[in-house]
Amino acid sequence: MEYRAYNSKSFKKIPQIQQFLSSEDIENIEIAALVFPFKVNNYLIDKLIDWKNYQNDPIFRLVFPHKDMLLTQDFERLKTLYKKGDIEALNKAIYDIRMRMNPHPADQKSNVPTINDKELTGSQHKYKETILFFPKQGQTCHAYCSFCFRWPQFTGMNELKFAMKEVDLLIEYIKAHPTITDLIFTGGDPLIMSTKLLRSYIEPILKANIPHLQNIRFGTKTLGFWPYRFLTDNDADDLLKLFEEIVAHGYHLAFMAHFNHYRELETDEVKEAVKRIQQTGAIIRTQAPILRHINDSSEVWTKMWKEQVHMGMVPYYMFIARDTGAQHYFGIPLVEAWKIFKNAISNVSGLARTVRGPSMSAAPGKIAVSGVSEINGEKVIVLNMLQAKNPNLVDIPFFAKYDENAQWVDELKPAFSEKFLFEK
Ligand SMILES: *Cc1c(COP(=O)(O)O)cnc(C)c1O
Ligand code: SF4
């Protein structure tokens, strides 16, 4: 299939949009898209979205912005300015709304590492074993998820964008840090890059032959959004060859696939792509956030994890949606997320119980909601750090006062203590 993408300006040309949506629905998308720019491609349109039921279709909800992602007064304000054609006031309103949405959560910027006084501005080294690398040309995706906290990067707010073009500094840095075992390519989506470009990042790393570096990971949504990247794109075969080379150099190639719903696992294309990736020796692990309107039921997760294991993939993380973007629309209370997780995991075999979560990627680390319990007559939420800046804090249960509505750790209060474990 030839890749074709549509955005806020061109989506009205999509035949299914013309056929199935009312003019009011179309206008609502146009207005929501002022704040949440979107991109959708022909694979999602032709193979994944169930247009007859588009209003409740999880894939439609995943990629098209929705009116309710804006607060009513914001939506009405934008609509008025949009209809008036008052561009200056409109742009200001858009900017204000975006700024209120906390576009740079969990101090992503505070972990910029340095080597010999030079900043690796496209990297993040938060946990001693792993370094994240954001290749400059990998800062976009084959389509955009409507909930994505990376949207500031895609909307021309350049002061918030971090990316890096040179891999040499990165190699120097990894060499100087023997605790690093994992290098994670992330984005956006690093597999949006041509194989040639990706190769220009990977080959120097392979040549550098750093003994303590063991695992190379790609964090990617390409399997779900554009499986042809591994099938029929011009450089698909070369990409798989590059994977083979990484494996042949002795690395564990960890393909971290983002799947939000079991429906993304159902096409022949995705099934074939998974097989081809696995044949290179790569191991595919899966992760996704839990989101209202998209996957807020245990049945969805049970079915998704079961199918992933059936396809030879390894369920890895369930995340809590970040405290950013349209949190009021996608957000799920921590207690509810845990109940969904618990019900889902209790209906799969041990092979799918590799998954951990639901987890918040917060400033001090990854905090999992392990459950709800009662201690000395007090109802509490049990938390546990899966990852921490301070590794001594990992895997020690700690407690928050029960709160049915809290959606993020900063809304919780410690129980039996003045401070949370990670604040001490
Ligand atoms: C999740 C995460 C990682 C990877 O952690 P693992 O638990 O090893 O998968 C690395 N860096 C950051 C900032 C993360 O949030
Ligand atoms: S694929 Fe990932 S980075 Fe890209 S829009 Fe979706 S969540 Fe954001």
Side-chain angles (χ1 to χ4, degrees):
M1 193 183 293
E2 183 127 10
Y3 177 77
R4 261 185 299 117
Y6 300 86
N7 61 22
S8 333
K9 297 206 169 63
S10 60
F11 79 100
K12 284 183 266 182
K13 288 186 219 145
I14 298 169
Q16 290 92 331
I17 290 280
Q18 296 176 1
Q19 189 184 342
F20 293 99
L21 271 70
S22 69
S23 56
E24 194 191 343
D25 283 343
I26 293 176
E27 186 182 83
N28 289 345
I29 293 173
E30 264 182 298
I31 290 165
L34 295 168
V35 173
F36 305 100
F38 72 100
K39 178 160 96 175
V40 53
N41 67 48
N42 45 332
Y43 169 71
L44 298 166
I45 293 164
D46 294 335
K47 307 261 175 175
L48 279 188
I49 293 171
D50 172 9
W51 288 96
K52 290 203 185 76
N53 181 33
Y54 75 91
Q55 271 143 330
N56 298 312
D57 183 75
I59 311 299
F60 183 86
R61 288 291 185 101
L62 176 64
V63 287
F64 283 94
H66 194 284
K67 179 179 189 276
D68 296 348
M69 287 166 64
L70 291 161
L71 302 176
T72 315
Q73 68 266 30
D74 287 337
F75 181 84
E76 293 305 330
R77 183 165 157 229
L78 290 174
K79 189 167 162 177
T80 308
L81 295 171
Y82 186 65
K83 293 202 155 168
K84 253 203 233 161
D86 186 345
I87 300 298
E88 204 175 314
L90 184 63
N91 284 340
K92 187 175 178 310
I94 294 167
Y95 186 83
D96 289 347
I97 294 168
R98 284 185 182 160
M99 277 304 149
R100 255 190 278 131
M101 288 189 178
N102 188 20
H104 229 281
D107 74 339
Q108 282 181 59
K109 281 198 133 169
S110 72
N111 302 301
V112 176
T114 57
I115 177 101
N116 304 330
D117 297 330
K118 280 171 282 182
E119 276 201 347
L120 283 75
T121 48
S123 299
Q124 224 192 83
H125 187 196
K126 184 158 160 181
Y127 309 127
K128 65 184 184 347
E129 297 84 7
T130 59
I131 184 157
L132 297 182
F133 180 57
F134 301 77
K136 190 168 190 284
Q137 301 90 339
Q139 301 309 304
T140 187
C141 304
H142 286 92
Y144 297 160
C145 308
S146 47
F147 60 80
C148 179
F149 72 91
R150 290 182 172 100
W151 55 265
Q153 298 180 48
F154 305 150
T155 56
M157 296 167 86
N158 278 328
E159 72 272 26
L160 297 179
K161 178 167 172 169
F162 48 71
M164 169 167 175
K165 71 172 188 296
E166 274 308 312
V167 74
D168 298 344
L169 265 188
L170 176 70
I171 292 174
E172 213 181 314
Y173 183 89
I174 298 174
K175 278 185 176 163
H177 291 81
T179 59
I180 297 178
T181 55
D182 290 38
L183 168 59
I184 308 182
F185 283 83
T186 182
D189 189 335
L191 298 185
I192 194 99
M193 288 192 279
S194 68
T195 307
K196 193 168 161 225
L197 197 53
L198 191 59
R199 206 173 255 293
S200 72
Y201 286 105
I202 298 289
E203 278 181 350
I205 293 163
L206 299 183
K207 281 209 189 86
N209 208 6
I210 310 165
H212 54 269
L213 185 68
Q214 297 175 352
N215 312 311
I216 294 181
R217 307 195 209 175
F218 293 109
T220 179
K221 177 84 199 167
T222 299
L223 256 178
F225 274 170
W226 191 251
Y228 307 100
R229 184 73 192 85
F230 313 97
L231 301 174
T232 52
D233 279 6
N234 286 337
D235 57 352
D237 290 349
D238 195 35
L239 178 63
L240 296 168
K241 190 163 158 279
L242 182 62
F243 286 1
E244 281 170 4
E245 287 165 35
I246 295 171
V247 174
H249 272 80
Y251 291 97
H252 175 134
L253 173 52
F255 188 109
M256 314 302 288
H258 172 190
F259 287 115
N260 301 86
H261 198 277
Y262 62 78
R263 289 259 307 282
E264 295 172 285
L265 307 170
E266 287 175 347
T267 65
D268 293 341
E269 287 88 344
V270 79
K271 288 183 194 298
E272 184 60 25
V274 164
K275 275 192 205 138
R276 293 196 86 194
I277 294 163
Q278 288 167 337
Q279 278 159 9
T280 69
I283 304 293
I284 306 175
R285 290 177 180 78
T286 61
Q287 51 191 13
I290 177 165
L291 303 155
R292 189 71 78 207
H293 308 295
I294 293 179
N295 58 20
D296 54 339
S297 89
S298 58
E299 290 78 19
V300 169
W301 289 88
T302 296
K303 196 163 167 183
M304 180 159 79
W305 290 336
K306 271 187 173 169
E307 184 54 23
Q308 286 169 352
V309 169
H310 183 212
M311 292 164 80
M313 300 189 277
V314 185
Y316 190 63
Y317 274 135
M318 176 201 273
F319 293 115
I320 304 271
R322 290 247 184 163
D323 53 344
T324 180
Q327 179 74 4
H328 67 276
Y329 176 81
F330 290 114
I332 294 186
L334 300 172
V335 170
E336 185 184 345
W338 165 71
K339 283 181 186 160
I340 291 172
F341 181 91
K342 183 195 175 302
N343 285 334
I345 206 167
S346 55
N347 285 301
V348 296
S349 90
L351 292 182
R353 295 189 193 186
T354 48
V355 69
R356 288 165 304 155
S359 158
M360 292 172 269
S361 294
K366 281 194 174 65
I367 305 169
V369 182
S370 306
V372 171
S373 191
E374 205 175 282
I375 296 177
N376 279 343
E378 184 176 342
K379 204 169 180 188
V380 293
I381 297 175
V382 186
L383 302 164
N384 182 26
M385 301 207 63
L386 304 175
Q387 273 292 6
K389 263 187 193 166
N390 172 0
N392 296 328
L393 304 182
V394 170
D395 237 0
I396 302 173
F398 61 103
F399 309 98
K401 295 200 164 113
Y402 184 77
D403 182 337
E404 214 162 58
N405 301 314
Q407 297 197 356
W408 198 255
V409 61
D410 61 3
E411 295 161 35
L412 292 174
K413 301 223 164 25
F416 316 121
S417 170
E418 289 289 300
K419 289 180 169 179
F420 282 124
L421 180 73
F422 54 78
E423 294 170 324
K424 283 174 190 158

